[in-house]
Amino acid sequence: MSTQPPNIIAIIGGGFSGAALAWHLLKGPPVPLTVLVFEPRSVLGSGVAYSATDPNHRINVPASRMSIDTAHPLDFLEWLEETGTNHQDDGARQPDGHLYPARKVFGQYVAARLAPLLEAHLLRHIPSLVTAARKVSTGKWILETQGGDVFEADTVVIATSHPAPQLPRQFAALGAFLSAETRPVLINDPWKPDGLSTVKPDDRVLIIGTGLSMADTVASLAAQGHRAPILAISRRGQRSKSHSRTPVTATGDFLSPPASRTRDVLQRIRKIIADNPDTPWQAFLDRVREQGPQIWSSLDQTERRRLIRHLRPFWDTHRFRISPQTENIVNKALQAGILQIKAARVIKVEKEGKTFKVTLRHRNGHTDDQVVDAIITTTGPAHVNILHSQPFLKSLAAEGHIEMDHSDLGLHVSAEGNAQVGPKKDPSLFVAGPLARGRFGELMGLPEVTLYAEKLANTIRAQTAMTVPENATLIS
């Protein structure tokens, strides 16, 4: 029998990224490891995206394309059928037969898949935040939690969520004095539970951002009976695109030969779409998504930054498509004149009593003032704040264990998923989920996150020792 010390895998973050990694670590042939997942929420697998309680917040791809199991892509759809969950939501099924359940339902599915592992004590849920992580001279990791406990681990995986949206700089002076509970209302993170509850039906609303989060916000406000004007703005005023009205299969080749310039990538995509007018563009963009990591890897840092600067807004609106139900709600609000979407940006904001006076500069150069009762930020994650978004990340950065990726999309990781600083990678520290997308390019969609979780699990399993620990070591 091996006398090698036990291997304890500590996953910090129990949203989908952390849950999928835990599941893939433990689903195969038994290996000698114990998996700890540190997640303050009461259940694993939901995270920010799939813990939304609003039934109007739906998954934005058909259920048939979502699964925790890469070898069983219809697993979620079959779970919906087996449990009867699909019959509890009349609005989930579309005329084409596809199901778009509420996001919280997908979180329930992930939790159900992890339940047997928890019951068998192969997986342990630590319902607390990690406040500090440090590596000691033995090579092991010491994790401190908000609850005051200290754990020891052989391998640590960072699987935390993106930082919350950042207030535009024009709001910096107001942010210290205003919140979702004050009048006027300033909401920086509409994803928080009851995050929109303080917005009254007659409040004039300004939404900063026009992507999927804007659409979800409009859906939530509509469900609350909102009837006052809503203005949504972004630099380009682009909405998230629709799914194809007819079934599509990913098609096209965007790798032969690999393009080394952003311009060439764009020209190739445009040409293939133009040459095939009878094929929905979604089929080609789905193939770009599949080949995204290879496309990204062929670009140097200069070209990657160019792609982010010029093409990312267009990619986001075409890649992150809106669910049909949410699109219908947004369209009704537009048709009713309640919602307007404009290409503009905030250049000045002042508090005037219980309202905001906001000066906007439109894309044509024209400026005007808007008086609103509530401002909601839906601009997406504040990637630049990653290293300061959580205390344990601050401690890891301060001790030289992590750094930002050169593309500023996430953390610097190696091709194997190890945290990397300069040329040095740490074999016992990994990054799971979207925070690793600076290396791989496309790690925001669930299929890509799942595939990467499986790859990471195989890497970690391969370096696992041959002694099975009974439990984690609780030091204090």
Side-chain angles (χ1 to χ4, degrees), residues 204-225:
R204 295 158 295 181
V205 175
L206 172 65
I207 301 177
I208 303 175
T210 59
L212 286 178
S213 294
M214 177 278 290
D216 285 336
T217 298
V218 170
S220 292
L221 291 175
Q224 294 176 192

Side-chain angles (χ1 to χ4, degrees), residues 103-115:
R103 287 190 188 151
K104 65 178 181 180
V105 173
F106 185 77
Q108 294 165 0
Y109 151 76
V110 178
R113 288 295 180 252
L114 292 179

Side-chain angles (χ1 to χ4, degrees), residues 227-241:
R227 51 184 174 262
I230 302 171
L231 173 61
I233 64 169
S234 65
R235 292 292 182 98
R236 295 173 176 82
Q238 294 186 107
R239 292 176 57 188
S240 296
K241 302 299 183 182

Side-chain angles (χ1 to χ4, degrees), residues 109-231:
Y109 151 76
V110 178
R113 288 295 180 252
L114 292 179
L117 301 176
L118 290 165
E119 293 168 2
H121 304 292
L122 298 172
L123 173 63
R124 185 177 174 190
H125 176 197
I126 312 298
S128 186
L129 283 170
V130 173
T131 55
R134 67 183 188 276
K135 197 170 190 179
V136 295
S137 58
T138 60
K140 294 184 180 292
W141 291 92
I142 304 299
L143 306 180
E144 301 174 14
T145 71
Q146 194 173 49
D149 292 325
V150 180
F151 292 83
E152 183 181 85
D154 298 280
T155 299
V156 169
V157 184
I158 300 168
T160 51
S161 179
H162 293 295
Q166 184 177 29
L167 278 173
R169 57 180 177 79
Q170 294 86 352
F171 293 84
L174 298 174
F177 305 102
L178 296 173
S179 70
E181 288 74 37
T182 61
R183 305 297 297 181
V185 177
L186 180 62
I187 298 175
N188 188 40
D189 188 0
W191 291 102
K192 291 181 179 178
D194 299 320
L196 301 175
S197 61
T198 55
V199 180
K200 298 177 180 179
D202 291 317
D203 281 346
R204 295 158 295 181
V205 175
L206 172 65
I207 301 177
I208 303 175
T210 59
L212 286 178
S213 294
M214 177 278 290
D216 285 336
T217 298
V218 170
S220 292
L221 291 175
Q224 294 176 192
H226 195 86
R227 51 184 174 262
I230 302 171
L231 173 61

